[in-house]
Amino acid sequence: MSPKLYPYIATIVFVVLCTTAFRSVEKNPRVTRYASITGLKIEKMAYYKKLHAEAWPAVLRQIKACHIRNYSIFLKEIDGKFFLFSYFEYVGRDFKLDMQKMASDPETQRWWKETDPCQQPLPDAQEKGGIWSAMTELFHLD
């Protein structure tokens, strides 16, 4: 092989390795899915919807900084009661540390002072002093 080809071969090998590495990350990301549920007080529904329609940019930045992606909250009425279903994907390495980071953020604390009174915890969350009840994943398909 001609030494003149070495730079070209090295470039091709580098591109192939990088492409393979990026594909590997895309196909096998470190993702943990979380789902939870809580009640929503009917008299607070309009305010809760308004808050989320105009979510505070600092809170959204904090959520992303804590490695949360693909975050959604859904609303469902059942027998005249309203429930919120939350889903997000965690892509970080230390969930507990990231949640502590989020909980210590002043803007997030202010946000929770607005949202928490709107919510009606289910009994299991209430017993633990929480708002949201964790759910167990039964099925997943990528």
Side-chain angles (χ1 to χ4, degrees):
M1 183 180 321
S2 169
K4 291 180 183 179
L5 295 177
Y6 289 162
Y8 298 108
I9 292 171
T11 302
I12 291 169
V13 168
F14 177 75
V15 169
V16 169
L17 288 174
C18 287
T19 304
T20 303
F22 288 128
R23 271 197 213 127
S24 174
V25 169
E26 289 172 8
K27 287 182 181 176
N28 299 311
R30 173 184 229 136
V31 174
T32 305
R33 292 175 295 281
Y34 288 88
S36 55
I37 188 169
T38 193
L40 178 64
K41 297 174 183 174
I42 194 165
E43 68 275 13
K44 300 283 189 172
M45 186 183 318
Y47 182 61
Y48 191 84
K49 286 181 175 182
K50 182 180 185 307
L51 280 171
H52 285 83
E54 302 167 1
W56 302 349
V59 172
L60 299 177
R61 282 191 301 274
Q62 185 65 28
I63 289 169
K64 288 181 179 182
C66 291
H67 304 104
I68 292 175
R69 306 292 183 268
N70 198 21
Y71 187 17
S72 299
I73 299 176
F74 298 89
L75 176 64
K76 175 69 178 169
E77 180 183 0
I78 303 172
D79 295 331
K81 295 181 181 177
F82 291 88
F83 297 90
L84 300 169
F85 168 74
S86 169
Y87 172 85
F88 64 85
E89 296 169 349
Y90 177 72
V91 295
R93 297 192 186 282
D94 190 336
F95 183 75
K96 185 177 178 181
L97 183 64
D98 280 329
M99 294 307 98
Q100 289 171 348
K101 178 180 168 183
M102 185 178 298
S104 67
D105 175 61
E107 277 300 290
T108 301
Q109 290 172 3
R110 272 190 347 106
W111 176 260
W112 288 344
K113 284 181 183 174
E114 298 297 318
T115 60
D116 285 2
C118 300
Q119 300 161 338
Q120 181 60 55
L122 301 182
D124 66 315
Q126 201 164 25
E127 288 171 11
K128 298 173 189 171
I131 300 286
W132 292 87
S133 298
M135 299 175 75
T136 303
E137 182 176 297
L138 297 180
F139 176 78
H140 175 77
L141 174 68
D142 273 327

